[in-house]
Amino acid sequence: SGVNGAACASPSLQQDSTASENLLQEALPAEYSPLQLLKHRDFWILWFTFLCNNQGICYVSTYWKSFGQGFISDDMFLAAIGSAASIGNALSRIIWGGIGDKLGFKTAMCTLQAIFAMLYIVMYYTQAGKWGYAIFVFCLFFCVGGSFSLIPTVTIRTFGSQYGTANYGLVFTSGVVGSLLNLLILNLTINHGMSQQHVQWIVASFLVVGLINSAFFKFRGCPCVNRRGERSGEYGYSSVPYSD
């Protein structure tokens, strides 16, 4: 009877095993090679998103201290601001990563870019006091860290981990272009007498454009190989909400 019971139970166990295997198969991310990545629309959206964010990153990394020296004469206080900003940059990567896991990439990135842009719009008016400026710089660097947390993760979750390192590197080539673009903008503005306020507004405009661009990111969850062919198209989607 024990043998019969085991024989009766085996179909159920086999069904459970098959169901588990199917779930695992559906959770496998699609793997895009670097050449395939270059042909994908969402790659270019991510690439341009970081290009726009890089304008804000480069400006605050380069000019936060020189801008502050215009109304803060205490070098030790400026050094303390820089140290606090570095801590904010590090902490932000954890916090923005958590926001991305909870709300999805699109919501997290658009929120980050909206905050980043608003900070640049009002940055010129922070000259009223050194403590207000210290908090402001901390917030700017808090936004800087978000790009380095959200974009690498969504790259791997969207395009797979097999070529993750190479694909991540391709997305971040926009940082090279963005840095050169930022250098060109600063040479054409600050070096030709344009006020810091107007330059900050130009940076804010890039972030607004980046926000609009990020809103066109289309994936609804991690793309998954549809091995069973139960869904239309070559790829289905898992329930992972990261790229919502």
Side-chain angles (χ1 to χ4, degrees):
S1 60
V3 174
N4 292 335
C8 291
S10 60
S12 176
L13 292 173
Q14 185 176 5
Q15 289 176 357
D16 291 343
S17 177
T18 302
S20 299
E21 183 179 353
N22 290 336
L23 288 173
L24 288 172
Q25 288 176 343
E26 288 187 354
L28 290 173
E31 300 292 350
Y32 291 85
S33 70
L35 289 178
Q36 291 173 322
L37 189 74
L38 293 173
K39 301 175 184 178
H40 203 290
R41 174 179 178 271
D42 286 304
F43 161 74
W44 292 105
I45 290 177
L46 291 177
W47 192 92
F48 191 72
T49 289
F50 188 64
L51 177 74
C52 293
N53 288 4
N54 198 254
Q55 303 314 304
I57 293 170
C58 286
Y59 182 88
V60 69
S61 299
T62 306
Y63 277 95
W64 77 266
K65 187 172 183 179
S66 62
F67 181 71
Q69 285 175 329
F71 55 95
I72 299 175
S73 57
D74 188 347
D75 285 339
M76 289 299 295
F77 188 81
L78 287 172
I81 291 177
S83 298
S86 297
I87 295 172
N89 186 3
L91 290 176
S92 70
R93 302 178 189 226
I94 302 172
I95 295 173
W96 281 114
I99 293 172
D101 287 335
K102 185 70 175 179
L103 301 179
F105 169 77
K106 185 187 293 187
T107 301
M109 180 54 71
C110 289
T111 301
L112 183 153
Q113 290 170 313
I115 294 172
F116 214 2
M118 287 188 290
L119 288 172
Y120 271 109
I121 290 172
V122 301
M123 183 176 181
Y124 189 78
Y125 303 103
T126 60
Q127 301 177 73
K130 64 180 185 178
W131 285 104
Y133 184 68
I135 296 172
F136 196 83
V137 172
F138 182 91
C139 292
L140 282 172
F141 275 94
F142 191 85
C143 290
V144 168
S147 293
F148 298 99
S149 175
L150 295 172
I151 294 179
T153 308
V154 77
T155 300
I156 292 175
R157 290 192 177 181
T158 302
F159 302 113
S161 60
Q162 182 177 353
Y163 306 99
T165 304
N167 291 343
Y168 170 86
L170 281 176
V171 173
F172 271 75
T173 57
S174 63
V176 178
V177 179
S179 297
L180 295 174
L181 178 60
N182 187 262
L183 178 62
L184 177 63
I185 291 171
L186 295 179
N187 282 333
L188 294 176
T189 54
I190 293 177
N191 291 347
H192 285 77
M194 183 178 287
S195 70
Q196 290 275 6
Q197 183 181 26
H198 291 151
V199 176
Q200 290 158 8
W201 287 355
I202 291 173
V203 173
S205 68
F206 271 96
L207 293 166
V208 171
V209 171
L211 186 157
I212 296 170
N213 173 74
S214 298
F216 284 95
F217 194 81
K218 285 292 185 182
F219 277 130
R220 300 297 183 188
C222 177
C224 298
V225 176
N226 188 346
R227 295 188 179 183
R228 300 183 66 193
E230 293 180 354
R231 301 173 186 172
S232 59
E234 183 181 357
Y235 299 107
Y237 295 88
S238 75
S239 59
V240 179
Y242 197 79
S243 50
D244 283 354

Short mmCIF file of all heavy atoms in Angstrom, two decimals, residues 8 13 26 81 83 127 132 145 175 244:
data_model
loop_
_atom_site.label_atom_id
_atom_site.label_comp_id
_atom_site.label_asym_id
_atom_site.label_seq_id
_atom_site.Cartn_x
_atom_site.Cartn_y
_atom_site.Cartn_z
N CYS A 8 0.61 7.03 -6.21
CA CYS A 8 -0.48 7.99 -6.35
C CYS A 8 -0.01 9.42 -6.13
O CYS A 8 -0.51 10.36 -6.73
CB CYS A 8 -1.61 7.66 -5.34
SG CYS A 8 -2.48 6.11 -5.70
N LEU A 13 3.35 15.36 -7.24
CA LEU A 13 4.69 15.90 -7.05
C LEU A 13 5.29 16.32 -8.38
O LEU A 13 5.99 17.34 -8.48
CB LEU A 13 5.58 14.85 -6.37
CG LEU A 13 5.26 14.52 -4.92
CD1 LEU A 13 6.13 13.35 -4.44
CD2 LEU A 13 5.47 15.74 -4.04
N GLU A 26 10.10 31.21 -16.61
CA GLU A 26 9.50 32.49 -16.94
C GLU A 26 10.22 33.64 -16.27
O GLU A 26 10.11 34.78 -16.69
CB GLU A 26 8.03 32.49 -16.54
CG GLU A 26 7.17 31.61 -17.44
CD GLU A 26 5.69 31.76 -17.12
OE1 GLU A 26 5.38 32.45 -16.13
OE2 GLU A 26 4.87 31.20 -17.85
N ILE A 81 31.16 71.00 4.45
CA ILE A 81 30.06 70.81 3.50
C ILE A 81 30.40 69.70 2.52
O ILE A 81 29.57 68.83 2.23
CB ILE A 81 29.77 72.12 2.73
CG1 ILE A 81 29.17 73.17 3.66
CG2 ILE A 81 28.83 71.86 1.56
CD1 ILE A 81 28.93 74.52 2.99
N SER A 83 32.44 67.19 2.96
CA SER A 83 32.42 65.89 3.64
C SER A 83 31.00 65.40 3.84
O SER A 83 30.69 64.22 3.62
CB SER A 83 33.13 66.00 4.99
OG SER A 83 34.50 66.36 4.82
N GLN A 127 22.26 81.83 -1.46
CA GLN A 127 23.38 82.65 -0.97
C GLN A 127 23.03 83.43 0.29
O GLN A 127 23.88 84.14 0.84
CB GLN A 127 23.82 83.63 -2.07
CG GLN A 127 24.27 82.95 -3.34
CD GLN A 127 24.64 83.93 -4.44
OE1 GLN A 127 25.67 84.59 -4.39
NE2 GLN A 127 23.78 84.04 -5.43
N GLY A 132 22.03 77.19 5.14
CA GLY A 132 21.08 76.84 4.09
C GLY A 132 21.78 76.28 2.87
O GLY A 132 21.31 75.32 2.25
N GLY A 145 23.83 60.63 -6.39
CA GLY A 145 23.98 59.20 -6.16
C GLY A 145 22.87 58.36 -6.76
O GLY A 145 23.07 57.17 -7.05
N GLY A 175 28.20 59.15 -20.18
CA GLY A 175 28.90 60.01 -19.23
C GLY A 175 30.07 60.73 -19.86
O GLY A 175 30.37 61.88 -19.52
N ASP A 244 8.76 49.91 -14.13
CA ASP A 244 7.47 50.57 -14.31
C ASP A 244 7.66 52.06 -14.48
O ASP A 244 8.54 52.64 -13.89
CB ASP A 244 6.55 50.32 -13.11
CG ASP A 244 5.97 48.91 -13.15
OD1 ASP A 244 6.20 48.22 -14.16
OD2 ASP A 244 5.30 48.54 -12.19
#
